[in-house]
Amino acid sequence: MERKKLYNVAVVGVTGAVGQKMLETLEKRNFPVGELRPLASARSAGQRVNFKGNTYTVQEATPESFEGIDFALFSAGGSISEKLAPAAVERGAVVIDNTSAFRMLPEVPLVVPEVNAHTISQHSGIIANPNCSTIQMVVALKPIYDAYGIDRIVVSTYQAVSGSGQAAIDELREQTRAVLNGEPANPQILPVKSLPKHHQIAFNAIPQIDVFEENGFSREEMKMVNETRKIFADDSIQITPTCVRIPVFFGHSEAVYVETRKPFDLAEVRSLLESAPGVKVVDDLEEQAYPLATEAAGQYDTFVGRIRRDLFHPRGLNLWIVSDNVLKGAALNAVQIAEHMVKSK
Amino acid sequence: MERKKLYNVAVVGVTGAVGQKMLETLEKRNFPVGELRPLASARSAGQRVNFKGNTYTVQEATPESFEGIDFALFSAGGSISEKLAPAAVERGAVVIDNTSAFRMLPEVPLVVPEVNAHTISQHSGIIANPNCSTIQMVVALKPIYDAYGIDRIVVSTYQAVSGSGQAAIDELREQTRAVLNGEPANPQILPVKSLPKHHQIAFNAIPQIDVFEENGFSREEMKMVNETRKIFADDSIQITPTCVRIPVFFGHSEAVYVETRKPFDLAEVRSLLESAPGVKVVDDLEEQAYPLATEAAGQYDTFVGRIRRDLFHPRGLNLWIVSDNVLKGAALNAVQIAEHMVKSK
């Protein structure tokens, strides 16, 4: 009997919302982990995490932390990735990076396995995990792109606070409680912790995710534009995003209008979506069935519903796309990339 | 000194969320009310309401309730309007109806005073108040329509629960409290009370407002299509709406993508919006200033921000439009229509 090969895995930012889900996902999907090395910033070092029934003490991530590591999953902010990912690569690890630090570098594959797994092999040490709002959109659009091509996308997002990490989750909970009790909301984290102003997220909708660029779009919106084009390897797709934070804990929802290149048949679109990997169609209007963030939370799939032909544009298609932003939008996608690499080894 | 003419006003559905705001708005704007007649269904008759320091007992609305009434503001559901509005008109009242019962009838003006006040005089007894999500969009788009024309609109809404009435407001409050306490959400009202299924609104986004039509769009979405075209008296405008309920108490937000007919200058768009009646521009990205539902709540204006040129389409314009759905979206708009009629008498 052949012994299954095991891989040493480091998780950087293991105490964060995404890091925690990375551990859970590695365990649930039975990834062949040899040694697990849970890493974080000095501030979080010393905390305990659980994996497969064992308790681990979190170590401070340093260049030396990556000795003997096969896969290093990074989710501790862009500056940590910039500092430590090269050190991990030097020591022979493959870095799967969940931050935006390397995503747009030409030599770094930006990978959603259901869409462009074939680019994984082109890596030179670092593979980037796309932004959460991009991942779920491209998973759902992949079969449509393949069948008809895509000219343009107008997308409005309804994004969960977990995209901003554990502190934002805590803020929504505490702020909601305060507002219900007639106390001041006292916003301190959202929309962007490092910026001077903070806005109430409880019972509100904030049209800012990440900082704004000169062109009036937010960085989150520009990620949806640039990453979608890179993942489809098609710079002719025109994308108009509006990214909005709403008071939801887990699960991003997206209202997506698509113009295909070639004419489509609506029944065929539905059937393509139904057989697409990673996609689950929830679309029965008589039963009031459509994707909901609360039901997508904790699930691996990207859920698609409200599939309808535009009223006016002959190649216009409308979709409602929902997925767990911390799982498919981050932790799961990273683990899937590692799984692909293990499979092809 | 001339004595100011006074008008007898009936408010039908006065105990509801919109009815209450109609009373408040009549009082705050000092509408020249002679006699106030607060009316409701038999179920709500006997309740007390306050107006200008006096307490009134709510009467059951019957055909006879409208004797001697000048303005009858209806907001008690479509079937009540269908039954009683003709009786009110017969007795000489002008009906300003907040339901969808008469909106699309050719002989009924559908009025947003900032946009098409000139159609008020064409009424034959009934004037319709448009749907809340339509009103705020057309107020903001009016100066753009006038200057450049509009070819198409793609709009995604972020709608407050108050659009479904007081019971939905109570449901969001109680459900949120339950979820925070780890208790079952127990949805009973949203998305549509009369339908068999109900979904959790607390910490969720529900892509259903009103029932679905055969074409896959919800009735709320079709209202945005049909009413916008009627208000602008322009059936060439192509509109793609996705209407979504989110856990906000007051204030609808809308991500609106517009394609103008003629090319536009962005600075001019901003200046047109700044001088448009009923519009307030809140758009300073450096200061993180953009419209927010929590700040629009209780205000009369329609707030516009995130004004930005599309990245790809030369005539593409993006806006974030927020207004108090119960005020400008309902009660205030109805009172403004009455004010226009008083002024032109």
Side-chain angles (χ1 to χ4, degrees):
Chain A
M1 208 173 87
E2 204 189 352
R3 194 158 150 211
K4 200 178 174 190
K5 180 159 168 37
L6 299 179
Y7 300 87
N8 297 336
V9 178
V11 176
V12 186
V14 72
T15 58
V18 172
Q20 282 295 311
K21 291 288 174 188
M22 283 173 165
L23 280 195
E24 270 181 49
T25 306
L26 287 167
E27 178 168 344
K28 276 196 189 161
R29 292 171 73 93
N30 217 10
F31 189 83
V33 177
E35 185 196 339
L36 176 79
R37 214 169 288 168
L39 304 172
S41 63
R43 187 170 47 84
S44 299
Q47 291 187 34
R48 305 292 176 93
V49 294
N50 295 306
F51 183 69
K52 292 192 176 175
N54 297 316
T55 300
Y56 293 76
T57 301
V58 177
Q59 306 294 323
E60 183 184 351
T62 65
E64 294 69 36
S65 309
F66 302 96
E67 290 292 349
I69 288 295
D70 297 299
F71 291 107
L73 311 187
F74 275 75
S75 188
S79 59
I80 301 275
S81 289
E82 277 166 20
K83 209 171 72 178
L84 292 177
V89 172
E90 267 171 42
R91 285 164 179 79
V94 168
V95 168
I96 302 173
D97 182 35
N98 190 50
T99 78
S100 61
F102 309 109
R103 285 182 193 151
M104 295 311 295
L105 296 182
E107 68 273 22
V108 174
L110 183 64
V111 178
V112 178
E114 293 86 343
V115 182
N116 62 344
H118 63 278
T119 62
I120 293 176
S121 60
Q122 296 157 18
H123 77 87
S124 15
I126 300 177
I127 297 163
N129 219 27
N131 187 46
C132 47
S133 52
T134 309
I135 292 178
Q136 67 184 68
M137 186 170 79
V138 299
V139 167
L141 294 186
K142 166 69 170 168
I144 294 160
Y145 181 84
D146 286 348
Y148 315 107
I150 291 177
D151 267 342
R152 66 183 311 190
I153 300 167
V154 181
V155 51
S156 303
T157 71
Y158 302 69
Q159 294 184 232
V161 297
S162 48
S164 274
Q166 189 59 47
I169 296 173
D170 297 339
E171 171 166 70
L172 173 59
R173 189 184 300 109
E174 291 316 310
Q175 207 179 76
T176 302
R177 212 183 286 279
V179 171
L180 285 181
N181 292 335
E183 296 159 13
N186 192 24
Q188 298 189 337
I189 306 287
L190 290 168
V192 182
K193 193 181 173 197
S194 59
L195 289 183
K197 290 215 177 135
H198 299 104
H199 298 298
Q200 175 179 331
I201 183 61
F203 308 112
N204 209 4
I206 305 179
Q208 174 175 19
I209 298 181
D210 212 331
V211 299
F212 289 108
E213 309 269 355
E214 277 299 310
N215 60 10
F217 286 78
S218 67
R219 195 169 285 174
E220 180 87 356
E221 289 160 356
M222 292 312 297
K223 286 175 189 169
M224 292 194 80
V225 173
N226 296 324
E227 296 180 13
T228 300
R229 290 156 72 115
K230 176 165 178 175
I231 294 165
F232 282 124
D234 184 345
D235 278 354
S236 73
I237 307 175
Q238 307 190 345
I239 304 160
T240 300
T242 302
C243 289
V244 181
R245 191 76 72 190
I246 63 166
V248 164
F249 287 111
F250 293 97
H252 287 353
S253 304
E254 298 177 345
V256 179
Y257 167 80
V258 181
E259 265 166 39
T260 58
R261 210 153 281 174
K262 292 188 280 184
F264 64 83
D265 175 78
L266 195 64
E268 190 184 59
V269 165
R270 177 182 297 267
S271 122
L272 288 170
L273 285 165
E274 278 168 351
S275 56
V279 172
K280 192 157 181 199
V281 172
V282 180
D283 191 22
D284 184 341
L285 299 186
E286 286 224 356
E287 294 292 320
Q288 296 179 259
Y290 29 70
L292 292 170
T294 48
E295 291 175 8
Q299 305 292 315
Y300 288 159
D301 283 318
T302 294
F303 298 86
V304 183
R306 298 291 324 271
I307 305 167
R308 62 203 193 278
R309 185 178 280 287
D310 196 61
L311 297 164
F312 302 101
H313 197 289
R315 291 175 284 104
L317 174 69
N318 293 284
L319 305 169
W320 176 252
I321 302 170
V322 181
S323 192
D324 187 315
N325 53 300
V326 180
L327 287 175
K328 184 56 189 166
L332 170 65
N333 196 72
V335 172
Q336 284 177 307
I337 292 171
E339 288 171 350
H340 263 266
M341 299 188 75
V342 165
K343 243 189 292 171
S344 59
K345 267 186 185 173
Chain B
M1 205 175 86
E2 205 190 351
R3 191 154 155 220
K4 198 177 173 189
K5 181 160 166 33
L6 298 179
Y7 300 86
N8 297 335
V9 178
V11 176
V12 186
V14 73
T15 58
V18 172
Q20 282 294 310
K21 290 288 175 187
M22 283 174 165
L23 280 196
E24 270 181 51
T25 306
L26 287 166
E27 178 168 345
K28 277 197 189 159
R29 292 173 71 93
N30 216 9
F31 188 83
V33 177
E35 185 196 339
L36 176 81
R37 213 170 287 168
L39 304 172
S41 64
R43 189 171 45 85
S44 298
Q47 289 187 35
R48 305 294 176 93
V49 293
N50 296 307
F51 183 69
K52 292 192 177 175
N54 297 315
T55 301
Y56 293 77
T57 302
V58 177
Q59 306 294 321
E60 182 184 350
T62 66
E64 293 69 36
S65 309
F66 301 95
E67 290 292 349
I69 289 295
D70 297 300
F71 290 106
L73 310 188
F74 275 75
S75 189
S79 59
I80 302 275
S81 289
E82 276 167 18
K83 209 172 72 180
L84 291 177
V89 172
E90 266 172 42
R91 284 164 180 81
V94 168
V95 167
I96 302 173
D97 183 35
N98 191 49
T99 77
S100 61
F102 308 109
R103 284 181 192 151
M104 295 312 295
L105 296 182
E107 68 273 23
V108 173
L110 183 64
V111 178
V112 179
E114 292 87 345
V115 182
N116 63 343
H118 63 278
T119 62
I120 293 176
S121 60
Q122 296 158 15
H123 78 85
S124 13
I126 300 176
I127 297 163
N129 219 27
N131 188 47
C132 46
S133 52
T134 309
I135 292 177
Q136 68 184 65
M137 185 171 79
V138 298
V139 166
L141 293 187
K142 166 70 170 167
I144 293 160
Y145 181 83
D146 285 349
Y148 314 107
I150 291 177
D151 267 342
R152 64 182 313 190
I153 300 166
V154 181
V155 51
S156 303
T157 70
Y158 302 68
Q159 294 185 231
V161 298
S162 49
S164 274
Q166 190 58 48
I169 297 172
D170 297 340
E171 172 165 70
L172 173 59
R173 189 184 299 109
E174 290 317 309
Q175 207 179 79
T176 302
R177 210 182 286 279
V179 171
L180 285 181
N181 292 335
E183 297 159 14
N186 191 25
Q188 299 190 336
I189 306 286
L190 289 168
V192 181
K193 192 181 171 196
S194 60
L195 288 183
K197 290 215 177 134
H198 299 103
H199 298 299
Q200 176 179 332
I201 182 62
F203 308 111
N204 208 5
I206 306 179
Q208 174 176 19
I209 298 182
D210 212 331
V211 299
F212 288 109
E213 309 269 356
E214 276 300 310
N215 60 11
F217 285 79
S218 67
R219 195 168 286 172
E220 180 87 355
E221 288 160 356
M222 292 312 298
K223 286 175 190 170
M224 293 195 79
V225 174
N226 297 323
E227 295 180 12
T228 299
R229 293 157 73 117
K230 177 167 176 174
I231 293 164
F232 281 124
D234 184 346
D235 278 355
S236 74
I237 307 175
Q238 306 189 346
I239 304 160
T240 300
T242 301
C243 289
V244 181
R245 190 76 72 191
I246 64 166
V248 165
F249 288 111
F250 293 97
H252 287 354
S253 304
E254 298 178 343
V256 179
Y257 167 79
V258 181
E259 264 166 39
T260 58
R261 209 152 282 174
K262 292 188 280 184
F264 64 83
D265 174 77
L266 195 63
E268 189 183 60
V269 164
R270 179 183 295 268
S271 122
L272 288 169
L273 284 165
E274 278 167 351
S275 56
V279 171
K280 192 156 182 202
V281 171
V282 180
D283 191 21
D284 184 342
L285 300 185
E286 288 225 356
E287 294 292 321
Q288 296 179 262
Y290 28 70
L292 292 170
T294 47
E295 291 176 6
Q299 303 292 316
Y300 287 159
D301 283 318
T302 294
F303 298 86
V304 183
R306 299 291 323 272
I307 304 167
R308 62 202 194 279
R309 184 179 282 285
D310 196 61
L311 296 164
F312 303 100
H313 196 290
R315 291 176 283 103
L317 174 69
N318 292 284
L319 306 169
W320 177 251
I321 302 171
V322 181
S323 192
D324 187 317
N325 54 300
V326 180
L327 287 176
K328 184 54 190 168
L332 170 65
N333 197 72
V335 172
Q336 284 176 305
I337 292 171
E339 287 172 350
H340 263 265
M341 299 188 75
V342 164
K343 245 190 289 172
S344 60
K345 268 187 181 168

